[in-house]
């Protein structure tokens, strides 16, 4: 389950929910609901977490065991995706 991996990443980083909530700019109680699966995390927060942990959103969501920190997308992706990913440090632009 992805929630376990998500929590494990935080604990392995030696951080509490309060610190992660601070990084995301939200209250700890809101972050706790995300981490426990009581509320769906917004995509922009998920991307920020992946960037913070230097991993991929797929890894956080347990869709892969590859802890790659690189995010790939092509020029054919919608502009909204480029806007969302624009502030992430680990974005690689590829032309296919």
């Amino acid at each position: 389950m992805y929630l376990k991996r998500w929590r494990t990443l935080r604990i392995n980083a030696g951080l509490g929910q309060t610190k992660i909530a601070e990084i995301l700019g939200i209250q700890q109680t809101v972050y706790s609901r995300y981490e426990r699966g009581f509320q769906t995390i917004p995509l922009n927060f998920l991307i920020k977490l992946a960037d913070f942990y230097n991993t991929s959103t797929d890894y956080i969501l347990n869709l892969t065991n590859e802890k790659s920190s690189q995010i790939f997308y092509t020029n054919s992706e919608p502009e909204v995706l480029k806007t969302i990913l624009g502030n992430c440090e680990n974005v690689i632009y590829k032309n296919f």
Side-chain angles (χ1 to χ4, degrees):
M1 175 177 262
Y2 75 90
L3 298 172
K4 183 177 179 182
R5 179 168 283 170
W6 191 353
R7 183 173 187 266
T8 301
L9 282 167
R10 178 180 57 77
I11 290 170
N12 287 346
L15 300 171
Q17 288 183 350
T18 302
K19 182 61 180 173
I20 298 298
E22 186 179 300
I23 290 166
L24 296 176
I26 59 176
Q27 295 178 350
Q28 179 274 329
T29 54
V30 174
Y31 176 79
S32 177
R33 288 194 298 260
Y34 295 153
E35 190 176 274
R36 292 182 296 145
F38 295 143
Q39 191 171 336
T40 303
I41 187 168
L43 180 59
N44 61 321
F45 289 161
L46 181 62
I47 292 169
K48 281 184 183 181
L49 286 176
D51 193 45
F52 176 77
Y53 291 124
N54 197 29
T55 191
S56 67
T57 55
D58 283 355
Y59 182 79
I60 290 175
L61 296 173
N62 209 27
L63 298 173
T64 182
N65 289 323
E66 185 74 31
K67 195 178 175 184
S68 172
S69 64
Q70 298 177 336
I71 301 169
F72 295 94
Y73 70 97
T74 68
N75 289 341
S76 63
E77 297 290 339
E79 286 301 314
V80 69
L81 183 58
K82 291 180 184 179
T83 301
I84 292 169
L85 297 175
N87 294 326
C88 294
E89 297 174 6
N90 297 317
V91 177
I92 296 176
Y93 299 87
K94 289 243 182 204
N95 290 318
F96 292 98

